Amino acid sequence: MEVLKPALAAAIFFFLTICFSYYFNPAIPHSISLAGWSVTIGAEAQYFISSPFNIQTEGSPVYNLYLPTVLIFLLGLYLKNLNKAFQEKCSLRAVFIMAIAASYVKSLGSMLYYRGYSDFGISLGTSIITLSFLVAFLISLEVYIERKERFDHLYGHFMFALLSSLVLLLGMLIFFSFFSTSSFIVHAMGLTAFMAMFVPFYERANIARFMREEGQEAFAVTGA
């Protein structure tokens, strides 16, 4: 059983959360020297840079550090050992990178309107990364859907509708974030951003196959 990579993913998550939460303190400006130039990282930049892992404002390391670490390890253990279909399509590294990117999209969207708050409206915490792993797990369960070939001819239309809906939903959530302070909007925005990246990557082989088949059919029609 492959244990090293799931344990490494959980350890990296735990380490980054500890480091980001304690190193990035907006009350203390940081300076970075690059080629003789000194760059000061202000409070807003610190909030944004550390937003995927900074749990200073969450107040509960149990729910934002310990439990997510255990969850990432258990889900990683399943995906690396018990779901061969997932292994052929994706990796824990890819899920992790896209989860972090989605968290930054969420923070960028939430700060567009709430500028002027003490935390600049930037949503801190590890919730998007944790939820992204859960979404990857749920999507990976497609392997248990029997007789999928019955719906194979609908795949292209389904993917087009799904991706279009995700992009539209992300735009709507960003728009509505200007008029709502609900954390649901923020979390939904992050999850939508993750799915908009994850689904095309996860289904890239099927998308490529569908495009080839469509191209061959189009060529056959024009050739005839």
Side-chain angles (χ1 to χ4, degrees):
M1 177 174 286
E2 176 66 62
V3 180
L4 179 60
K5 290 184 178 179
L8 183 61
I12 291 174
F13 171 84
F14 187 89
F15 175 77
L16 290 177
T17 302
I18 293 294
C19 290
F20 275 55
S21 298
Y22 290 96
Y23 178 79
F24 287 96
N25 185 350
I28 306 175
H30 289 278
S31 296
I32 299 177
S33 296
L34 297 173
W37 293 83
S38 180
V39 178
T40 300
I41 304 177
E44 184 175 9
Q46 288 191 59
Y47 269 115
F48 181 75
I49 292 171
S50 65
S51 60
F53 297 100
N54 197 332
I55 62 172
Q56 290 186 37
T57 62
E58 297 295 329
S60 177
V62 173
Y63 294 108
N64 294 280
L65 177 59
Y66 302 126
L67 288 181
T69 299
V70 174
L71 182 65
I72 288 174
F73 173 72
L74 293 177
L75 293 181
L77 204 63
Y78 163 78
L79 294 174
K80 288 298 294 181
N81 295 279
L82 302 177
N83 195 321
K84 300 297 182 183
F86 176 86
Q87 298 171 34
E88 295 174 356
K89 294 182 176 182
C90 195
S91 66
L92 293 180
R93 183 190 302 110
V95 174
F96 212 150
I97 292 173
M98 285 184 279
I100 294 173
S103 184
Y104 280 121
V105 171
K106 173 262 300 181
S107 295
L108 183 62
S110 64
M111 70 185 288
L112 290 177
Y113 176 74
Y114 304 120
R115 185 177 300 275
Y117 280 53
S118 60
D119 58 359
F120 304 95
I122 300 174
S123 178
L124 302 180
T126 59
S127 56
I128 297 301
I129 294 177
T130 307
L131 290 172
S132 295
F133 270 86
L134 285 171
V135 168
F137 165 72
L138 292 175
I139 292 177
S140 74
L141 295 180
E142 64 158 352
V143 70
Y144 298 110
I145 300 177
E146 297 180 357
R147 304 182 70 179
K148 290 182 295 182
E149 62 275 6
R150 290 176 54 192
F151 307 98
D152 190 63
H153 65 287
L154 300 175
Y155 181 81
H157 301 288
F158 170 74
M159 286 301 299
F160 177 79
L162 176 62
L163 294 178
S164 300
S165 299
L166 288 173
V167 173
L168 179 62
L169 180 58
L170 181 59
M172 291 176 58
L173 290 171
I174 293 175
F175 175 78
F176 285 128
S177 68
F178 283 80
F179 305 98
S180 174
T181 59
S182 172
S183 61
F184 170 78
I185 294 293
V186 174
H187 288 89
M189 189 186 304
L191 284 180
T192 303
F194 174 77
M195 290 185 65
M197 291 181 283
F198 178 78
V199 172
F201 179 81
Y202 187 74
E203 296 289 354
R204 62 192 182 280
N206 289 330
I207 293 174
R209 176 179 59 81
F210 174 78
M211 295 299 293
R212 285 196 304 270
E213 293 176 354
E214 288 292 305
Q216 291 172 357
E217 291 180 4
F219 177 77
V221 171
T222 55

